[in-house]
Amino acid sequence: MMTSQRRAAFYILGATAFWSTAGLFMHMLATQTWTILFWRSLFGVIFVAGFTLLRGERVLIYETISIGRLGLVASILSAAAMLAFISALRHTSVANVALIFATLPLVIALMSRLLIDEPLSARSAAACVGVFTGAVVIFWGSASASEAGLIGDMLAVVMTVTMALMAVALRLYQGRSVVGVVILSNLMTTVFAALMATSLTVSLRELAILACFGLFQMGVGLILFSVGARSLPSTQVALITTLEAPLSPLWVWLFFDDRPKIATVLGGALVLCTTTSYLLAEWRRPSGSGKQHEDAKRDGIR
């Protein structure tokens, strides 16, 4: 019989698999970035709110309106991360975006040290050096290929830093449901994208793809994560979600024969090895001494 923790691990693994399909959906869409952001965020709001209602819970409209300063900051940061994420996938490879984002647990540790004065262990500092070295290798590969690729990598860095700042804000926002933050951030993205887009018109095929983008990559991923994260230590959650980095380029390679550059492979290997080693070491620490911020990183929904 499957234990609750093992079941929770499968839920997190499922969430990671759904999140890793973002690049696959982007490869299927030819429409402009702002149009994609509008429809994806709109469908995301509908599905998240609908799931909350189906569970017999209120959609937390009051909490969304009276969200407070930290909740508002977290919502703005989450919306900014979504904007950077989709834009990055338009300019650089899926592999580059995924591998740069894999540095998130360590960027959170660094931001927590700078902003809320959390201790930064020697292990964390050494791991930061390792992942940043890997990121430099990835950047070097993009810079030598095209200016657009370098811009995409920079957008991926903006997304990662913004998500780290959001995670710190959510940690200070503890004790409150993040559903309001999720809904508000997606509403912000929907409105901003509608203002920026030259046209919101899409074909029926593209509308179906965008609906699946919002439902599966965002909605189902969030549902599985929200269920699984309740029964697992935050470091174990972060360790499992690191699998998004190799899965994301795998899908586009299998379906579109989009192969990563050698610099991406080398830098990505350094990032993944360093991050995985760091998270494994954190996981093995005595119970209660680990950080609690890794699970907050995904609640804003990229």
Side-chain angles (χ1 to χ4, degrees):
M1 187 174 181
M2 188 177 293
T3 65
S4 60
Q5 282 211 336
R6 186 169 295 180
R7 188 180 301 111
F10 276 108
Y11 284 142
I12 299 300
L13 184 60
T16 302
F18 279 111
W19 280 328
S20 69
T21 60
L24 189 62
F25 282 110
M26 289 296 291
H27 268 68
M28 292 188 282
L29 293 165
T31 189
Q32 63 170 298
T33 301
W34 294 115
T35 306
I36 293 173
L37 280 162
F38 172 82
W39 288 108
R40 176 182 181 265
S41 299
L42 181 61
F43 282 122
V45 170
I46 293 170
F47 293 134
V48 172
F51 172 71
T52 308
L53 283 175
L54 286 174
R55 293 183 64 186
E57 302 172 6
R58 51 198 178 92
V59 190
L60 303 174
I61 295 176
Y62 173 76
E63 183 178 337
T64 304
I65 295 172
S66 59
I67 207 163
R69 188 188 312 170
L70 283 173
L72 180 60
V73 168
S75 299
I76 293 171
L77 290 169
S78 176
M82 279 188 271
L83 296 174
F85 174 56
I86 298 299
S87 299
L89 288 172
R90 268 289 184 250
H91 287 83
T92 192
S93 70
V94 173
N96 282 27
V97 175
L99 291 167
I100 290 171
F101 188 68
T103 66
L104 182 61
L106 291 160
V107 178
I108 292 174
L110 185 59
M111 291 297 172
S112 297
R113 175 69 182 92
L114 294 173
L115 298 175
I116 56 178
D117 203 28
E118 278 193 356
L120 185 68
S121 66
R123 179 193 296 126
S124 297
C128 285
V129 172
V131 297
F132 292 147
T133 302
V136 167
V137 175
I138 294 173
F139 265 86
W140 173 75
S142 293
S144 61
S146 68
E147 184 179 342
L150 185 59
I151 291 173
D153 287 357
M154 291 175 66
L155 285 167
V157 170
V158 170
M159 172 194 69
T160 305
V161 172
T162 307
M163 288 291 285
L165 292 171
M166 185 201 70
V168 174
L170 285 175
R171 190 172 185 193
L172 297 174
Y173 187 68
Q174 55 186 292
R176 304 278 299 279
S177 171
V178 297
V179 174
V181 173
V182 172
I183 293 175
L184 183 58
S185 63
N186 278 278
L187 285 173
M188 287 178 177
T189 305
T190 301
V191 172
F192 189 70
L195 293 172
M196 297 298 294
T198 56
S199 173
L200 298 176
T201 304
V202 293
S203 66
L204 285 177
R205 174 186 172 275
E206 288 178 323
L207 189 64
I209 293 172
L210 287 162
C212 291
F213 200 173
L215 171 60
F216 295 108
Q217 194 271 336
M218 184 187 295
V220 177
L222 169 65
I223 292 166
L224 291 175
F225 181 85
S226 64
V227 174
R230 296 172 182 172
S231 304
L232 287 179
S234 59
T235 307
Q236 189 172 349
V237 171
L239 183 61
I240 296 173
T241 55
T242 303
L243 289 171
E244 184 182 349
L247 283 176
S248 294
L250 175 64
W251 303 136
V252 294
W253 174 54
L254 289 175
F255 288 93
F256 295 98
D257 198 29
D258 187 347
R259 299 167 186 264
K261 302 180 183 68
I262 186 63
T264 300
V265 174
L266 294 175
L270 181 55
V271 167
L272 282 177
C273 288
T274 303
T275 303
T276 303
S277 299
Y278 167 78
L279 291 173
L280 281 171
E282 289 292 300
W283 185 21
R284 290 167 181 161
R285 289 174 63 182
S287 179
S289 63
K291 293 179 177 63
Q292 299 299 315
H293 54 259
E294 288 90 347
D295 56 341
K297 72 181 184 178
R298 298 286 189 174
D299 289 332
I301 315 306
R302 288 180 286 126

